[in-house]
Amino acid sequence: MDVTADWLARLPKTELHLHIEGTLEPELMFALAQRNGVRLPYDSVEAVRAAYDFANLQSFLDLYYAGAGVLLTEQDFYDLTAAYLLRCRADRVVHTELFFDPQTHTARGVPYATVLAGIRRALTDAHEQFAISSKLILCFLRHLSEEEGFATLREAEPYLDLIDGVGLDSSEVGHPPEKFARLFARCKALGLPRVAHAGEEGPPDYVWQALDLLDVCRIDHGVRALEDPALVDELKRRRIPLTVCPLSNIRLKVFQRLSDHNLRALLEAGLVATVNSDDPAYFGGYVGENWRACAAALQLTRAELKQLAVNGFTGSWLPEVEQARWIAEIEAM
Ligand code: ADE
Ligand code: ZN
């Protein structure tokens, strides 16, 4: 075979689409529930896993927000993030850009500063101990109002030096990017780079809106962009990366089978597609598993896998010299 498991394991990788709350494994969920005296509606880890049978994005989000209810203290956020970073090390993810959803926590009375401090401390430790670099992206929940988004931004303003950009996530259909045009304009004025989930379940028009109204530098998911040739041309012309999450797309029924996924078609269309895990504790695999599963199901060639890895670095917010260093290592493999 052209691609061996060892070669894939050694390939330097990025992760550009990862919700830290989506890395909460059932074992940690139970441990934190016990530590914090939180009651869970499940009586075992197996029962939690058995509930992970999703019909669509919303049915997943309902469980995901409920699960996050065990996260209360700075140490909880540290432990969650530290566990994820160990997975990064195992999968040779050398650079990761994480989302966090402050509104999921502040709505339960957990201060913004508590969430931020726990995540940041784990990121700093991973940089020192494992040389994993990272960026942190504050996501606004699009099922909430514009006003609530502005309140969250005001709360974040004293700590802006601790975040690297903003994003938009949660229930896509019915909550188009245009709902947050003014919020994202304010983020732009504050100098924050912007990304948005679009074209996961929502139509190509949402991708256009994210580009034109939110002025994003990356599209999260974006797999439905292929339905609109003019949009493909625009994404290509502007070299806008798409943070594709293959196993997520299968679990949330965006595609029925991995062999039906359009990852190769995105590459063939000349788009800057990348491979990411989204919410790995819920979708059955971290980044390494997404790469292995795609390589097998789509029979990706070594050249295609290298292109995906290079795209992860060019699509990242790493300085160009660091991108170039990693890309040289990939090219030499
Ligand atoms: N929040 C966590 N995962 C998400 C996804 N795949 N789409 C939208 N919002 C999310
Ligand atoms: Zn996502």
Side-chain angles (χ1 to χ4, degrees):
M1 190 171 103
D2 190 28
V3 177
T4 64
D6 173 64
W7 183 89
L8 204 47
R10 284 187 290 108
L11 188 67
K13 302 172 198 74
T14 57
E15 171 126 90
L16 306 180
H17 185 154
L18 180 281
H19 302 263
I20 195 61
E21 295 88 351
T23 68
L24 180 61
E25 292 287 341
E27 289 79 5
L28 185 59
M29 193 189 290
F30 264 76
L32 295 183
Q34 198 161 36
R35 183 156 101 188
N36 293 329
V38 174
R39 269 189 63 80
L40 287 173
Y42 312 99
D43 54 19
S44 67
V45 164
E46 292 70 37
V48 182
R49 285 221 162 81
Y52 293 175
D53 180 18
F54 310 116
N56 52 30
L57 175 60
Q58 191 59 51
S59 65
F60 152 70
L61 289 171
D62 293 343
L63 283 192
Y64 162 86
Y65 293 128
V70 302
L71 297 162
L72 293 181
T73 67
E74 195 255 12
Q75 189 64 40
D76 297 342
F77 287 93
Y78 177 89
D79 291 345
L80 177 72
T81 310
Y84 163 65
L85 290 159
L86 282 177
R87 303 282 192 147
C88 287
R89 187 174 65 150
D91 285 338
R92 189 119 212 262
V93 173
V94 297
H95 176 74
T96 177
E97 304 193 355
L98 299 76
F99 298 126
F100 73 116
D101 288 340
Q103 289 159 302
T104 301
H105 312 300
T106 53
R108 298 179 292 113
V110 180
Y112 178 81
T114 300
V115 179
L116 189 59
I119 298 172
R120 268 281 161 209
R121 184 159 64 87
L123 295 178
T124 302
D125 284 357
H127 191 237
E128 285 171 9
Q129 293 166 15
F130 312 138
I132 294 174
S133 55
S134 57
K135 304 283 177 188
L136 188 57
I137 303 173
L138 182 163
C139 266
F140 296 104
L141 299 181
R142 67 203 306 160
H143 69 272
L144 300 179
S145 67
E146 177 195 42
E147 197 184 338
E148 287 165 295
F150 270 110
T152 299
L153 182 59
R154 274 195 299 277
E155 222 178 324
E157 275 190 42
Y159 310 95
L160 283 190
D161 52 333
L162 295 176
I163 63 164
D164 300 291
V166 295
L168 185 67
D169 66 358
S170 193
S171 323
E172 186 181 6
V173 174
H175 302 282
E178 65 183 344
K179 180 176 164 185
F180 298 98
R182 289 183 296 198
L183 177 62
F184 271 58
R186 171 76 187 140
C187 292
K188 183 175 179 176
L190 289 169
L192 291 164
R194 296 155 309 285
V195 298
H197 283 53
E200 178 185 18
E201 286 188 342
D205 181 50
Y206 283 22
V207 180
W208 280 113
Q209 287 185 27
L211 294 174
D212 293 343
L213 305 179
L214 307 187
D215 196 12
V216 297
C217 62
R218 228 160 45 201
I219 295 287
D220 294 313
H221 293 294
V223 289
R224 291 196 56 194
L226 278 189
E227 295 169 24
D228 179 345
L231 177 58
V232 172
D233 287 346
E234 182 68 2
L235 291 166
K236 242 167 77 172
R237 189 182 67 77
R238 291 174 54 180
R239 305 273 313 145
I240 299 282
L242 304 182
T243 63
V244 179
C245 305
L247 291 177
S248 161
N249 292 156
I250 303 311
R251 286 298 187 101
L252 300 186
K253 313 281 196 294
V254 175
F255 298 93
Q256 287 313 307
R257 287 181 304 268
L258 202 50
S259 53
D260 300 332
H261 199 284
N262 65 7
L263 181 63
R264 172 178 278 123
L266 293 167
L267 283 180
E268 284 175 347
L271 296 173
V272 186
T274 64
V275 174
N276 310 273
S277 72
D278 207 3
D279 301 282
Y282 292 87
F283 300 149
Y286 288 76
V287 165
E289 189 53 34
N290 273 271
W291 281 83
R292 287 189 290 275
C294 287
L298 300 171
Q299 291 288 296
L300 296 174
T301 64
R302 194 179 279 228
E304 286 168 326
L305 292 162
K306 279 175 144 184
Q307 184 65 58
L308 287 165
V310 167
N311 290 350
F313 288 97
T314 54
S316 78
W317 293 346
L318 276 172
E320 274 185 24
V321 282
E322 287 181 48
Q323 292 184 17
R325 188 164 56 81
W326 288 116
I327 291 168
E329 185 171 330
I330 295 165
E331 302 294 4
M333 280 183 71

